[in-house]
Amino acid sequence: MTHHEPHDEVTGDRMNWLRAGVLGANDGIVSTASLVVGVAGATTDRAQILVAGLAGLFAGAMSMASGEYVSVSSQRDAERALLTQERRELRDTPEQELEELKEIYKDKGLDEETAGEVARQLTEHDALAAHAEAELHIDPDGLTNPWGAAIASFIAFTIGALLPLAAIAFTPTGLRVPITVAAAVLTLALTGFVSARLSGAGKRRAVVRNIAGGLIAMGVTYAIGSLVGQSIG
């Protein structure tokens, strides 16, 4: 039987999208829920709460998207610079690069003869790909995509933010805060579970950490909103 593992050429880029999506959704939930709960602590005016929530939603989504784009673009630029340097070294000092590749495989446990043969065959097949994978841990044909990360982050943040915004918008005044907090806790549990599933980490710890962080953020902003509302009022 053949054992299939998810190690294809797009795994890194796909994982980057998923990471951006999970982080975006989590930030959308926490920041928007905290914002609307904080405003609700200062006022019961539904219009003011919705305006603040919508402004926070779009500001946060754009901030997340631009941040992901800049971050992943910087990573991509660094990868391209390393590949350019590797191409130059392969062109100027091919014998030295072949020896370097052989030493890498010797360090991985191959004997000298086998390591030399592996290095020679890989170099003949695709020298840049061989050195990029062994030295730089980069796939020249699978560089990270900044647009994919930015779009995934924007959409995920928006979806995450809409949940607490809808909860506080369509519930009676006296139940706004507890229902919004409950909705945020449930969705934070989901994003914590998904992030743990993607990373292979312990699910319970990730869920508890996610919920605890969200509750602290909402509690602090609600307390600040209440104090500001009382002082202004």
Side-chain angles (χ1 to χ4, degrees), residues 33 37 167 175-189 215 218:
V37 165
L175 297 175
R176 282 176 184 168
V177 172
I179 288 180
T180 301
V181 171
V185 166
L186 289 175
T187 48
L188 285 172
L215 286 173
M218 288 183 284

Side-chain angles (χ1 to χ4, degrees), residues 4-222:
H4 296 283
E5 294 184 357
H7 298 313
D8 56 59
E9 66 275 9
V10 297
T11 297
D13 199 39
R14 183 166 58 244
M15 287 300 295
N16 192 55
W17 287 28
L18 290 171
R19 176 193 61 80
V22 171
L23 289 176
N26 199 68
D27 283 353
I29 296 163
V30 174
S31 62
T32 306
S34 299
L35 176 61
V36 295
V37 165
V39 176
T43 179
T44 58
D45 189 299
R46 189 186 303 271
Q48 291 185 29
I49 296 172
L50 284 177
V51 168
L54 286 171
L57 185 157
F58 286 108
M62 292 302 298
S63 176
M64 283 291 297
S66 63
E68 281 292 334
Y69 181 83
V70 170
S71 174
V72 178
S73 292
S74 298
Q75 178 184 342
R76 189 182 179 95
D77 290 344
E79 291 171 345
R80 284 175 169 169
L82 289 171
L83 290 173
T84 298
Q85 179 181 346
E86 195 62 40
R87 287 190 187 95
R88 184 165 54 249
E89 292 174 352
L90 286 168
R91 182 194 64 210
D92 297 340
T93 57
E95 295 83 5
Q96 182 178 333
E97 288 300 299
L98 179 61
E99 184 65 23
E100 185 177 9
L101 191 60
K102 184 181 80 172
E103 291 299 320
I104 290 174
Y105 285 107
K106 283 178 61 179
D107 291 342
K108 290 183 177 182
L110 299 181
D111 61 60
E112 183 160 356
E113 182 179 353
T114 305
E117 181 63 18
V118 169
R120 184 186 64 79
Q121 290 192 28
L122 288 175
T123 299
E124 289 177 354
H125 176 68
D126 190 333
L128 179 62
H131 283 266
E133 188 277 331
E135 293 182 48
L136 310 175
H137 308 292
I138 296 174
D139 178 4
D141 298 320
L143 299 183
T144 51
N145 182 357
W147 283 109
I151 292 170
S153 183
F154 180 90
I155 293 173
F157 185 99
T158 302
I159 293 173
L162 285 173
L163 297 173
L165 191 58
I168 208 162
F170 298 109
T171 52
T173 302
L175 297 175
R176 282 176 184 168
V177 172
I179 288 180
T180 301
V181 171
V185 166
L186 289 175
T187 48
L188 285 172
L190 178 60
T191 57
F193 177 85
V194 172
S195 65
R197 186 74 179 270
L198 291 175
S199 63
K203 298 179 180 63
R204 179 178 297 179
R205 178 178 296 180
V207 169
V208 171
R209 184 171 56 227
N210 238 25
I211 292 174
L215 286 173
I216 291 171
M218 288 183 284
V220 169
T221 53
Y222 181 77

